[in-house]
Amino acid sequence: MNILGIETSCDETGIAIYNTEKQSIISEQLFSQASKHAEYGGVVPELASRDHLIKIIPLIKLTLEEVELEFSDLDGIAYTAGPGLRGPLLIGASMAKSLAFSLKIPSIGIHHMEAHLLINLLEDPAPKFPFLTLLISGGHCLLINAKEMGSYEIVGQTIDDAVGEAFDKVSKLLELGYPGGPLIEKLAESGDSSAFSFPRPMTNKDNLDFSFSGLKTAVFYTLKDTKFINKQIKANIAASFQDAVADTLLIKSRKALEETKQNELVIGGGVASNKYIRKKLVEGLKDNKIYFPPLERCTDNGAMVAFAGSFYLSNNNHAKNDLVRPKWPLSEL
Ligand code: KG4
Ligand code: ZN
């Protein structure tokens, strides 16, 4: 079976084809609108919708052409139904539904965060359920007890900003640009992570929840109180902030592994592409098995949607038929 995956939840148009016999992604295309939104310091939903509309058909055609497939070679279509921005989601959903209708094949709406989680199962070795999952993206920071396919218990989550959102806001404060994560990571390479002592929010609390807005505020006041700011000081702030985030994720993940009695930690989402955070988690959790997707499959992409769709479509499970759900809790699959 060839499953077409369509991702349009935010500012990336991601298209891919997963082949169930080859058990691999056979073709994929990704167009990032990031540079378009950079001048506004964040994603402008209306601009994102328009760009998805322009790019989606050419990218689908290109994805097919790359492997010399025709539309008639497709057996099912998976698209991101939520969570995400309503307009962008609707572009992907209407494309998927109308294409599936005209080709007389099934379509299915996928939960974006489940797709971030499941893409780890495409790797070799792949994690086996049950395991603990840490999902760190622009909209989420979740610790999940993943019991089996489709059964996810949220054991910890952010009470305010998502972790990627914190990177983006701190990047704005440092006047680096958007998206902030990769820019902070780059600048932090030349910084001293012990130069500033930023808080590790909620790590002394007895629960598994996160909070990142105070950390962002700490950076704000540090900048305000520092009379002379040059590139080195900015690099030191970036490195110290990144270290505080990495430490917080490590402390909470360790606690969650203990509490859920899991030994394996599966990580996903855009922030998981941060090499400093990856290293810190691997070093800090030496007794556990840690899984990350390849760097390019941490941030939004069509491959994760096609792959997630293959599970549901192969099992004839077409139940998730809401067109889009911009606010879709992972616990309500
Ligand atoms: O998963 P994703 O592509 O989209 C959402 O589902 O939100 O994650 C995007 C987020 C952005 O906030 C971006 O700044 C962050 O992931 N990000 C990073 C890195 N690359 C992307 N954060 C830290 N370090 C990175 N290298
Ligand atoms: Zn995402």
Side-chain angles (χ1 to χ4, degrees):
M1 283 211 304
N2 289 316
I3 311 292
L4 181 74
I6 300 177
E7 158 60 36
T8 61
S9 68
C10 192
D11 60 346
E12 254 100 29
T13 319
I15 310 290
I17 299 169
Y18 178 76
N19 180 278
T20 52
E21 285 78 34
K22 293 186 180 142
Q23 296 188 4
S24 63
I25 297 292
I26 55 171
S27 182
E28 63 185 307
Q29 294 291 328
L30 184 71
F31 176 78
S32 173
Q33 311 170 351
S35 58
K36 177 157 281 178
H37 301 287
E39 62 179 296
Y40 304 98
V43 180
V44 182
E46 186 51 36
L47 291 184
S49 305
R50 282 189 224 170
D51 230 33
H52 284 305
L53 196 54
I54 294 167
K55 293 289 171 353
I56 194 163
I57 294 178
L59 286 178
I60 293 175
K61 282 188 174 162
L62 207 55
T63 309
L64 288 163
E65 276 165 23
E66 290 276 292
V67 278
E68 293 173 8
L69 290 181
E70 306 284 337
F71 279 106
S72 56
D73 294 315
L74 295 175
D75 301 288
I77 304 182
Y79 67 93
T80 300
L85 301 169
R86 183 178 291 275
L89 285 171
L90 279 168
I91 306 290
S94 359
M95 179 53 60
K97 290 277 182 196
S98 37
L99 203 50
F101 181 74
S102 64
L103 296 170
K104 298 188 176 56
I105 56 174
S107 66
I108 188 162
I110 295 295
H111 192 292
H112 182 80
M113 300 314 289
E114 185 181 25
H116 269 307
L117 183 169
L118 291 178
I119 193 66
N120 278 281
L121 271 58
L122 195 55
E123 296 306 305
D124 187 18
K128 288 195 180 63
F129 288 104
F131 46 72
L132 182 76
T133 301
L134 174 68
L135 293 182
I136 39 180
S137 71
H140 294 83
C141 186
L142 294 169
L143 271 167
I144 296 158
N145 190 2
K147 296 172 182 173
E148 55 182 63
M149 248 318 275
S151 170
Y152 310 115
E153 181 197 0
I154 295 172
V155 292
Q157 60 191 313
T158 181
I159 59 165
D160 42 53
D161 291 352
V163 60
E165 190 180 350
F167 268 96
D168 294 335
K169 286 179 175 171
V170 166
S171 173
K172 215 172 197 174
L173 292 174
L174 292 172
E175 295 169 340
L176 298 179
Y178 172 86
L183 298 167
I184 289 185
E185 179 175 11
K186 182 90 198 71
L187 183 62
E189 282 169 15
S190 55
D192 172 6
S193 64
S194 61
F196 295 91
S197 140
F198 290 129
R200 274 65 177 150
M202 311 242 320
T203 46
N204 54 5
K205 287 263 187 318
D206 207 21
N207 59 35
L208 298 173
D209 289 336
F210 301 89
S211 161
F212 291 104
S213 80
L215 183 52
K216 169 206 65 195
T217 309
V219 172
F220 172 80
Y221 281 110
T222 300
L223 280 164
K224 198 164 172 270
D225 297 343
T226 309
K227 284 201 177 61
F228 179 71
I229 295 181
N230 59 17
K231 187 150 187 236
Q232 187 56 52
I233 291 174
K234 279 192 181 183
N236 292 346
I237 292 177
S240 305
F241 162 77
Q242 184 175 253
D243 190 52
V245 172
D247 249 357
T248 306
L249 295 174
L250 171 61
I251 293 166
K252 289 285 181 172
S253 299
R254 190 184 284 136
K255 198 175 195 159
L257 284 161
E258 279 165 20
E259 285 190 16
T260 57
K261 300 193 173 44
Q262 302 284 10
N263 187 41
E264 306 203 335
L265 179 65
V266 173
I267 306 178
V271 183
S273 63
N274 183 297
K275 292 192 260 335
Y276 184 85
I277 292 176
R278 287 166 90 108
K279 188 164 174 271
K280 195 123 188 183
L281 286 170
V282 169
E283 284 174 2
L285 298 168
K286 279 209 172 68
D287 296 337
N288 302 93
K289 182 105 190 62
I290 317 279
Y291 297 87
F292 294 100
L295 291 181
E296 69 282 5
R297 297 229 166 109
C298 289
T299 40
D300 293 350
N301 60 83
M304 66 184 197
V305 181
F307 183 57
S310 74
F311 286 101
Y312 289 103
L313 291 167
S314 332
N315 294 323
N316 268 332
N317 178 349
H318 308 159
K320 300 179 188 183
N321 265 340
D322 275 328
L323 187 58
V324 295
R325 283 185 72 177
K327 292 191 166 61
W328 184 5
L330 189 56
S331 49
E332 280 179 25
L333 285 185

